Amino acid sequence: GAGVSQSPSNKVTEKGKDVELRCDPISGHTALYWYRQSLGQGLEFLIYFQGNSAPDKSGLPSDRFSAERTGGSVSTLTIQRTQQEDSAVYLCASSLSGAHNEQFFGPGTRLTVL
Amino acid sequence: AQSVTQPDIHITVSEGASLELRCNYSYGATPYLFWYVQSPGQGLQLLLKYFSGDTLVQGIKGFEAEFKRSQSSFNLRKPSVHWSDAAEYFCAVGALQGAAGNKLTFGGGTRVLVKP
């Protein structure tokens, strides 16, 4: 079966513009995570969705970042008014419910803010 | 708050030699521990995980890791390295046991170079 897919694979934008990053999780996975991988900060947790529960947004770095998950499947991470420090690879992962289940990662979206 | 330290940023090892990657964690309870590998241009792939039970965990690609509670460590080992093992390796600790999900805290990663 298909793994986690993310689009676009690369995104170049100008400072101040808004961007949307998409994640398609593995079918049947109720948990979905967004992480960010950057040179300065390493791999950081951003946000977590589990079924119909309220998302855990504790890792979002600022209110310019938001995410939604429609129909319990596809998720979109939106960054408003992008800044150069937002440049990073944004990784999405999904898993079955339960903390012991493996998170399967997508290939990531490389965001470059000029 | 939980944290993970990988003391070695880079390790160079000869093909066929053994490999050990260090990982130290800080967590208030019994942790969920993971090792992931990231090859160039690839996503993260799970090598192995520890939740409870036997402290020596076997994973894919011939890797194993040992959980040592007294040392707060979860070191990754491989007896004989292959050129294809050149990659970046990340240790991670999970959040709450019994929770529906498991947001991970990652170490800074160790980049492994394999000499022929």
Side-chain angles (χ1 to χ4, degrees):
Chain A
V4 177
S5 61
Q6 293 186 245
S7 61
S9 55
N10 281 283
K11 177 72 176 178
V12 180
T13 190
E14 293 178 349
K15 178 181 172 181
K17 295 286 181 68
D18 298 351
V19 296
E20 285 189 350
L21 312 180
R22 177 186 169 104
C23 172
D24 282 89
I26 293 172
S27 177
H29 281 191
T30 57
L32 187 147
Y33 305 79
W34 284 97
Y35 295 87
R36 178 169 71 171
Q37 186 172 24
S38 60
L39 284 177
Q41 302 297 322
L43 267 159
E44 313 169 88
F45 164 79
L46 296 178
I47 188 169
Y48 154 60
F49 295 89
Q50 173 61 51
N52 294 321
S53 302
D56 177 348
K57 305 179 182 180
S58 60
L60 294 179
S62 79
D63 58 8
R64 296 186 295 105
F65 288 72
S66 63
E68 62 177 19
R69 188 178 185 190
T70 54
S73 181
V74 171
S75 177
T76 303
L77 177 69
T78 301
I79 309 173
Q80 295 178 309
R81 305 180 304 281
T82 52
Q83 303 295 312
Q84 288 184 331
E85 60 263 28
D86 300 333
S87 296
V89 176
Y90 289 82
L91 296 168
C92 176
S94 71
S95 75
L96 297 170
S97 178
H100 60 289
N101 283 303
E102 176 182 353
Q103 294 181 30
F104 292 84
F105 283 80
T109 294
R110 181 175 297 278
L111 175 66
T112 303
V113 182
L114 302 176
Chain B
Q2 61 214 49
S3 65
V4 178
T5 301
Q6 294 180 244
D8 304 304
I9 298 174
H10 291 99
I11 284 182
T12 300
V13 60
S14 296
E15 191 168 14
S18 63
L19 174 69
E20 181 166 12
L21 304 182
R22 295 183 290 164
C23 171
N24 293 96
Y25 68 89
S26 173
Y27 188 67
T30 301
Y32 285 174
L33 293 162
F34 306 80
W35 274 99
Y36 281 85
V37 61
Q38 187 176 38
S39 299
Q42 304 288 318
L44 289 161
Q45 181 183 24
L46 180 69
L47 287 175
L48 46 78
K49 59 187 179 183
Y50 171 79
F51 294 132
S52 64
D54 193 348
T55 56
L56 185 62
V57 180
Q58 301 298 319
I60 63 171
K61 304 185 180 188
F63 284 92
E64 66 178 26
E66 186 171 13
F67 171 61
K68 292 186 177 180
R69 183 187 302 275
S70 62
Q71 298 177 19
S72 297
S73 70
F74 188 55
N75 294 348
L76 182 72
R77 299 193 292 256
K78 185 168 183 177
S80 177
V81 168
H82 187 261
W83 64 267
S84 60
D85 293 322
E88 190 154 21
Y89 293 79
F90 293 92
C91 181
V93 63
L96 191 60
Q97 285 193 15
N102 197 2
K103 57 186 182 184
L104 300 176
T105 298
F106 288 88
T110 298
R111 187 170 297 278
V112 173
L113 303 176
V114 180
K115 295 190 302 183

